Amino acid sequence: MGQPRQPHDPRGALVRPYAVTRGRTEPQRDIPIEAVLVASQANVQEARFAGHDKYRIALLCEPRAQSLAEIAAYHRLPLGVARVLVADMVADGLLALHSAAPRQGFAERMDLLERVLSGLRKL
Amino acid sequence: MDFASSERAGAQPKEITSAKIVVAGGFGVGKTTLVGAVSEIEPLTTEAVMTSASSGVDDASKVPGKETTTVAMDFGRITMADDLILYLFGTPGQTRFWFMWDELIRGAVGAAVLVDTRRISDAFAPLDYFENRHLPYLVALNCFDGAPRYEPEEVREALAIAPHVPLIMCDARHRDSVKAVLVGVVEHAMATLVEEQGRGFPATVG
Ligand SMILES: Nc1nc2c(ncn2[C@@H]2O[C@H](COP(=O)(O)OP(=O)(O)OP(=O)(O)O)[C@@H](O)[C@H]2O)c(=O)[nH]1
Ligand SMILES: [Mg+2]
């Protein structure tokens, strides 16, 4: 559990990529590539019944928060496919979607920039 | 890699904010090297299908007539706190697809455009791109061994970089140097935000 480097998916990243989403290409909501997702242990249990791909995603997001980009990369899914699956899981309560950086509001944006700056300085 | 838990059962789930910085530049300028120098994970790659339709990435399949391409982007991660993560996204070197990147820079804190001083003209396309976007960016000259040493001001002139755009030297292989680039991006983003606020135009980023 929690081992993000999965063996190469034999379906391949580009072989009929939308087969895993049953042909759907439109996510239920637009999720930024850097937004992170978290699964609780209860979510993981529930996701067992949601199909292989969703279960693997829940397992990945349980030990620590993972961005949409990380989910796509570790599971070798094209970004668009990962986005459809993740959006479904958020809608079904199988993953918690956290926030990307605020794009509006001076105080909110400045606060984030200050926190990122101090994080970088501590590196 | 660390898999330390901050969201284990029992702990109150905390809202996690994630931010991104984009690392751009022509083919082979050192984007992946730069990301890898500070990332806590080996840089990862993900593929996105892009289309020239204005809706941006990933809906290529439903518009058969449109130009589409699959681009790979690299990224790295810096977990700054249990509620703050910074991602660094490297754009693909192939600049003819730059017009498709709007969706991927949306919401970014800012960008660094890497320039290889041995092939300065490769920087024209990425610089053109950022000049026409609302995203704070700086130019970082990646100093390859044996590359001609230019004065920063010579490069600024050669690339017609606007005076308000910071220009710094770096070595993409060195963590401290990359840290300085990223600090520069964030400081420039702050200065831009303050200036816009002063002018009364706090525009949406990206
Ligand atoms: N001497 C020196 N070599 C560097 C530096 N940065 C990168 N390199 C080398 O240049 C080569 C290309 O670097 P990459 O980081 O792969 O460049 P990239 O921009 O990601 O390349 P693409 O993704 O193919 O566009 C690698 O062999 C690096 O080791 C640097 O600052 N100095
Ligand atoms: Mg690269």
Side-chain angles (χ1 to χ4, degrees), chain B residues 62-153:
Chain B
K62 63 177 202 268
V63 275
K66 291 275 162 56
E67 185 188 345
T68 65
T69 184
T70 300
V71 295
M73 53 189 162
D74 308 316
F75 62 96
R77 165 173 174 152
I78 302 169
T79 305
M80 297 185 148
D82 62 2
D83 61 351
L84 181 64
I85 305 171
L86 177 68
Y87 288 97
L88 304 175
F89 281 89
T91 62
Q94 242 177 331
T95 42
R96 82 192 165 91
F97 298 119
W98 275 79
F99 65 99
M100 296 174 171
W101 279 84
D102 290 2
E103 172 132 8
L104 297 174
I105 67 157
R106 192 193 301 151
V109 160
V113 180
L114 263 182
V115 175
D116 176 348
T117 51
R118 298 167 304 179
R119 292 173 294 137
I120 281 186
S121 59
D122 287 5
F124 286 134
L127 287 171
D128 279 348
Y129 177 85
F130 283 103
E131 261 165 36
N132 295 301
R133 296 297 180 286
H134 185 82
L135 185 71
Y137 67 97
L138 57 67
V139 177
L141 301 181
N142 195 13
C143 306
F144 282 85
D145 307 322
R149 297 278 149 175
Y150 295 105
E151 289 302 318
E153 289 317 306

Side-chain angles (χ1 to χ4, degrees), chain A residues 10-93:
Chain A
R11 284 169 302 194
L14 294 172
V15 185
R16 296 179 58 226
Y18 285 94
V20 297
T21 65
R22 302 201 172 85
R24 284 173 44 231
T25 60
E26 279 296 330
Q28 298 195 31
R29 62 195 294 169
D30 188 29
I31 299 175
I33 48 177
E34 73 277 18
V36 298
L37 297 122
V38 175
S40 66
Q41 287 173 353
N43 290 153
V44 173
Q45 293 313 315
E46 257 188 280
R48 280 180 190 279
F49 310 105
H52 177 68
D53 289 292
K54 291 180 179 174
Y55 181 50
R56 286 200 310 159
I57 292 172
L59 279 178
L60 178 66
C61 299
E62 196 271 330
R64 82 169 189 164
Q66 304 284 355
S67 60
L68 175 63
E70 284 166 301
I71 292 169
Y74 286 130
H75 290 333
R76 298 182 193 271
L77 294 166
L79 197 59
V81 173
R83 186 178 271 133
V84 170
L85 291 171
V86 165
D88 282 355
M89 292 178 73
V90 172
D92 294 342

Side-chain angles (χ1 to χ4, degrees), chain B residues 31-33 74 91:
Chain B
K31 301 177 293 289
T32 306
T33 305
D74 308 316
T91 62

Side-chain angles (χ1 to χ4, degrees), chain A residues 34 65 70 99 109 121 123, chain B residues 15 18 77 87 179 187 203:
Chain A
E34 73 277 18
E70 284 166 301
S99 31
R109 286 164 63 187
R121 291 210 162 111
L123 273 187
Chain B
E15 185 64 20
S18 50
R77 165 173 174 152
Y87 288 97
K179 247 177 80 170
E187 285 178 341

